[in-house]
Amino acid sequence: MATDTQTAGEHGPAYLAHHFDTPAQQFDTAKLAMWVFLAQEMLFFSGLFVAYVVFRFWYPTAFSVGSHLLDWKMGMLNTLILLTSSFTAAQAVSYAQRGMPKRVGWMLILTILLAAGFMVVKYFEWNHKFHVGFLPGAHFKPDAEGMVAIGDAVKLAFHGGGIGYHLRTFFGLYFVMTGLHGLHVLIGMGILAWIWVRNHRGEFSSEYWTPIEITALYWHLVDLVWIFLFPFLYLID
Amino acid sequence: MSNATAGTAATHRAATPKGEHADEFHIHPHISSTALNAKVLGALYFFTFLTVLAYRVDLGNANLAVATLISVAKSFLVCAFFMHLRYEKAFMSVALLGGIVCMGLFFGYTLNDTDHRGEANPFSSTRYNQVTGKYAHGTPEWIEKNGFVEVTAKFDEAEQKALEATGETPAEAAKAAGLPAGDAAKAAATPPGESAAKANPEGAAGAAAANGKGTKAGSATAGDASSDAGKAAPDAGAAKGGGGATKGSAGAAKGSAGAAKGSGGARPTR
């Protein structure tokens, strides 16, 4: 890292690490590293998506009925919330590039609030499922209310006709996938808050906004994963 | 080393703006306008509504493909505009494309195996091998052993007693679970390997086996219990065994017991 004692004339601006020649090189290196990390994240989630596709083709009835036990309206609300938060994150970067730290701060706060809204909706969804016993795998044990809900879902499902023993598998995937995604949202909220503090301290300018952009890239990935999770979990015919 | 680096930087600075690195010292980002970002957000909203509409149309297996296509289109918008990939150097996209290629291998190889393991039963979702008539991989052990009855879950004994206290009949329970007795019977009769000759020898053995199993099923899976209930029903002497089997199991199992009564011969087969 560049030290405070270094004057601008010796090597470059204070934010320029000594192992980089130019800010542009440093910026591109940071972004490339982030993209490599995002590719790794993608592969991390792809394992779950492979499991999802295998089980969905094996147990179409259970997945059809299972998706009707989720509230697609809540899923859609969360999709719109997360898409909007991606927009505010993109706007934060845009304002940073233009050297408008106050607006950056507001965009970061909006992003954090939307993320919190997403988690609140998720809390209500998860809470209901815990309540009626729609738990993953071996713990799947619906109560009377859950059984009635299953009966209603069977009527709605295109593939209906049998309940399908494998609802437990569907809810296993549901909880692991939305759970890990939710964890990413929580971590993202923490990073966004940290970036807000740094922005508030005046660390960023139209010359240097790399951490904001890197954080936004992470946040967009969280959005990308949900873009697939929503139709795959909530919208099965 | 720091001297050398500082020297290089100094050279760059001296050379700016006419030197060979003139364009690389300062960052020249693409700045997305608010209007552009808003348009992208609008398109993403549009695709979200589209994906909800698309799922309400029964396209059979194509539903998954349509949902995936729409999601890919949304992802493209996010990557290209929000993530600035459109304006970045190509090697940024290489990391992403590399990941996508690996994912393709991962999906392709796995599905090439798992999606060719016999036909799926539309009611039970179990798969069976058309040649041997036996259940294929991916079918739980207890189904392979005991045959299939469409049951998803078990109740606690306490919960079961509470249900019984409300005076619900099996038929009512079946109705509550959305399973008309007739349908349930059909579902029970559907599992593969149709021939009764192949039927579970334990089933033929009669009430004793059913009773013993029913007790076990009460603590294990409802499927065990109700399948035994199905076997036991045709035999008058086995009524107790069937009842015992139902006791430890779910409301849905009650429904199945009713179904077995209705159809008589609706015995789960292999």
Side-chain angles (χ1 to χ4, degrees):
Chain A
M1 293 293 284
T3 57
D4 291 333
T5 52
Q6 214 166 15
T7 56
E10 270 182 70
H11 175 53
Y15 58 78
L16 181 61
H18 71 81
H19 49 279
F20 291 113
D21 281 346
T22 66
Q25 185 199 26
Q26 176 173 283
F27 186 50
D28 278 347
T29 307
K31 274 192 294 190
L32 179 62
M34 192 58 194
W35 274 105
V36 170
F37 172 73
L38 294 187
Q40 179 274 132
E41 284 279 89
M42 219 172 75
L43 291 171
F44 164 82
F45 276 104
S46 77
L48 292 166
F49 279 108
V50 167
Y52 168 88
V53 173
V54 167
F55 284 124
R56 176 164 170 176
F57 285 166
W58 272 1
Y59 314 137
T61 312
F63 275 62
S64 182
V65 173
S67 82
H68 286 280
L69 291 170
L70 308 180
D71 189 344
W72 68 266
K73 286 170 193 155
M74 279 197 172
M76 190 172 90
L77 175 65
N78 258 353
T79 307
L80 297 179
I81 287 175
L82 220 48
L83 289 173
T84 312
S85 77
S86 237
F87 166 78
T88 54
Q91 282 295 97
V93 172
S94 185
Y95 286 132
Q97 291 168 329
R98 292 183 234 168
M100 301 161 95
K102 270 201 169 170
R103 292 196 180 192
V104 172
W106 280 115
M107 285 300 133
L108 290 174
I109 286 177
L110 271 178
T111 311
I112 293 167
L113 287 178
L114 288 164
F118 178 91
M119 290 311 293
V120 167
V121 174
K122 273 260 83 78
Y123 166 79
F124 283 117
E125 288 190 74
W126 281 333
N127 194 39
H128 175 70
K129 283 170 191 66
F130 273 79
H131 178 69
V132 296
F134 294 161
L135 294 168
H139 305 287
F140 184 77
K141 209 178 85 177
D143 62 5
E145 189 188 342
M147 289 304 289
V148 172
I150 292 172
D152 292 341
V154 167
K155 285 176 214 152
L156 286 171
F158 288 155
H159 290 300
I163 292 171
Y165 168 78
H166 304 284
L167 271 176
R168 54 189 293 174
T169 309
F170 176 83
F171 279 103
L173 280 165
Y174 168 80
F175 275 107
V176 172
M177 291 175 108
T178 61
L180 282 170
H181 178 263
L183 185 66
H184 276 76
V185 172
L186 288 177
I187 291 171
M189 286 168 73
I191 298 173
L192 285 162
W194 174 52
I195 292 299
W196 182 87
V197 170
R198 290 183 64 183
N199 179 66
H200 192 67
R201 283 191 204 140
E203 287 185 30
F204 308 126
S205 67
S206 61
E207 295 283 309
Y208 177 68
W209 68 91
T210 311
I212 302 176
E213 176 136 0
I214 298 297
T215 305
L217 283 176
Y218 171 83
W219 193 252
H220 295 312
L221 178 98
V222 173
D223 185 29
L224 282 176
V225 173
W226 185 258
I227 282 175
F228 285 91
L229 283 182
F230 169 53
F232 283 8
L233 292 175
Y234 292 76
L235 303 178
I236 304 176
D237 39 23
Chain B
M1 185 187 159
S2 67
N3 280 347
T5 320
T8 320
T11 313
H12 284 313
R13 291 177 68 79
T16 309
K18 285 182 184 169
E20 51 179 321
H21 292 297
D23 290 334
E24 285 183 17
F25 187 80
H26 290 290
I27 303 165
H28 300 290
H30 167 86
I31 302 179
S32 296
S33 68
T34 304
L36 176 67
N37 281 344
K39 272 182 206 160
V40 173
L41 180 63
L44 289 169
Y45 282 173
F46 168 76
F47 279 124
T48 303
F49 294 125
L50 193 67
T51 202
V52 172
L53 284 179
Y55 121 94
R56 310 203 127 207
V57 184
D58 187 3
L59 303 170
N61 286 334
N63 273 101
L64 178 60
V66 170
T68 307
L69 272 181
I70 294 173
S71 294
V72 168
K74 287 167 84 175
S75 305
F76 178 81
L77 286 174
V78 172
C79 288
F81 294 100
F82 283 174
M83 299 171 100
H84 296 168
L85 217 43
R86 197 164 170 239
Y87 316 107
E88 298 286 2
K89 295 190 173 81
F91 66 70
M92 302 284 176
S93 306
V94 168
L96 178 66
L97 292 177
I100 291 173
V101 168
C102 291
M103 265 175 81
L105 276 172
F106 201 10
F107 274 87
Y109 169 72
T110 308
L111 291 180
N112 178 48
D113 179 349
T114 60
D115 204 32
H116 295 86
R117 294 190 179 192
E119 294 299 308
N121 178 306
F123 290 106
S124 63
S125 302
T126 50
R127 286 180 174 268
Y128 63 95
N129 186 318
Q130 285 171 306
V131 179
T132 63
K134 286 184 176 170
Y135 284 111
H137 292 282
T139 304
E141 267 177 47
W142 67 264
I143 289 186
E144 286 192 51
K145 267 189 197 162
N146 303 298
F148 177 83
V149 174
E150 73 306 335
V151 169
T152 47
K154 57 177 181 181
F155 278 175
D156 269 352
E157 228 166 281
E159 285 168 328
Q160 179 64 26
K161 273 177 190 159
L163 247 191
E164 280 166 5
T166 64
E168 239 182 335
T169 67
E172 278 164 358
K175 208 177 168 190
L179 274 178
D183 277 9
K186 202 168 65 183
T190 312
E194 299 299 330
S195 79
K198 273 188 188 172
N200 192 342
E202 288 163 29
N211 200 2
K213 282 207 145 187
T215 319
K216 192 184 95 192
S219 60
T221 53
D224 282 7
S226 52
S227 76
D228 288 323
K231 288 168 202 158
D235 186 338
K240 239 187 185 176
T246 317
K247 200 174 178 185
S249 58
K254 273 188 183 174
S256 302
K261 220 188 265 173
S263 64
R267 131 190 322 189
T269 55
R270 268 173 204 265

